Structures are given as structure tokens and as C-alpha cells.
Amino acid sequence: ADLTALVDAMDVAQALQLRHTCRAFLTDPVPLELLQEILATANLAPSGGNTQPWHLYVVTGASLNALTEAALKHLSGSRGSGPLEYKVYPKKEDLPADLHQAYMSRRIKVAQDMWQLMGVKREDKAERAKALMENFRFWGAPVGIIVTVDRGGDKNAWGHVGMMLQSLSLLAVQYGLGTAMLEAWGNLGNCVYEALDIPMEREVIWCGVALGYPDSSSKLSDMATERRKLQEFCRIFPGFESKSKL
């Protein structure tokens, strides 16, 4: 879709419908002023007690390449990551059996759809590993962002940062940009902390964000994912009137 034509008329519902994880970007640079506008506006996201427990480290050009090189070097070595700082996905034993099955079926469906678009066969472990490495190249995006959460914050602080990331992704759509949220950037030991001089004792790295203009010639730029129906995740209690009665 030609997102730039929608900038003036965009509404929140449209932005939500158009937002997909973008894994194919043009090399066109994102103007600094536009980047600053998006990030400053995303900072208006709600947080409990106005705590604003998020921090962003934004790279492009040589600094992005240096971060990518540091991550790939770390991954190709002995790692030495130590204990996980957080679990990207819950362990099987921590979930009811039906919920574990639901999570796994959704994850597998997304992965298989992506591999198909990339021409990667499920049984080809080497090509699957190579595809995973694209996370650390920000999928070719000209802008990479590392997102951290105040280490002293509890689970609710991570939710607050999530609201900021949602705001960022919708603002990106408004301006014709694409995003990808990349939790692969978490749990890399000291690697990213050292590369970007992030104070490890104060902040914990949650994820990366790829940001740039989508390459609409690639199906990887707007791969849609399935969503549950309203009645599968929401209970609406009696007492509401339908529109037809108003």
C-alpha cells in the first residue's frame, strides 16, 4: 500500500490495520528531524505514575554497522552470555497444556510463513539460522533502535515500555515508515551494553527496533499474521446496549 498518501487522512484504526512487521527496507535514509518527531511523540505514551521507564539508543550508518558486527562476533564466539535477563517465551512447564499448544502453533505459523517468503525450507537448519541473523542486521533498515527498561522496574514497567513501542510503530505508519520489533537483541550478555555504553546496573535491554521505508517490492515488507476473533480473548458482560437500539 502507498502509505505516504495516507499521512494527512490517517486515523488510529487505519494505522493498526496497516502496521505489520517489516523485514524488507529501502536504503533511503530517515531524516533526522522526522526521526526526532516520531520518537518525541511516542514519548507521550502512558505510564503508571508517569514513570516513563524507557530508554532508546538509536543508530544508523557506521554506528549501526558496528553494533551489528559486535553482535555477530558475539554470536559466533563462545557467547558467555550468562543467565537470561528475561524469557522471550515462557517455558512449557510454566503454561497450561492448551495455552502452550496455542503459543507454539502461532509461533510456528509465523516462522513458516516467513521462511516460505524467504525461500527457506523448514528442514534446512543452516538457512534458518542464516535467516535469524537478519535480526542483527535490522533486516536492512537504515535505522536501528535498542530499547531498554529501568532495571528496577517490575513487570508493569515492561508494559509501559510496550505502550511506547506501540505508539512508535503507529507513528511510523503515519509517516510511511515500517518497523520490526526484534527481541533477538535481548539476552546477548554484555555485548550490546558495551557496544552502546548502556549502564547495565541501571537498565535491562529488552529488544531492538528496525525502522525505515518499506521495500514494497518484497512480500517481507508487510507479512500479515492471523489474529484471534474478539470472542476468543474478550468477555463482554451484560448491560451494554447495541447500536441498533440507540
Side-chain angles (χ1 to χ4, degrees), residues 36 42 45 83 87 90-91 103 109 119 128 133 136 138 144 157 167 169 191 219 230 240 244:
Q36 291 173 325
K87 291 182 288 186
K91 294 181 178 179
Y103 277 22
K109 178 68 165 60
R128 283 166 49 191
M133 292 300 103
F136 304 104
F138 293 97
S167 301
S169 66
C191 171
K219 293 182 179 179
L230 178 64
F240 294 93
S244 61

Side-chain angles (χ1 to χ4, degrees), residues 145-182:
I145 305 171
I146 297 298
V147 181
T148 74
V149 185
D150 287 332
R151 190 172 287 275
D154 206 342
K155 294 177 181 178
N156 61 326
W158 291 68
H160 302 156
V161 180
M163 288 188 281
M164 185 278 297
L165 289 172
Q166 172 78 314
S167 301
L168 190 162
S169 66
L170 297 182
L171 286 162
V173 171
Q174 177 180 339
Y175 290 102
L177 296 164
T179 55
M181 305 297 165
L182 309 172

Side-chain angles (χ1 to χ4, degrees), residues 108-138:
I108 291 170
K109 178 68 165 60
V110 169
Q112 290 179 336
D113 288 350
M114 182 182 70
W115 294 334
Q116 183 177 9
L117 292 177
M118 298 180 73
V120 174
K121 296 181 179 180
R122 184 178 181 181
E123 62 271 17
D124 192 335
K125 293 183 179 180
E127 284 300 308
R128 283 166 49 191
K130 183 179 178 181
L132 179 63
M133 292 300 103
E134 288 302 308
N135 287 303
F136 304 104
R137 297 184 177 91
F138 293 97

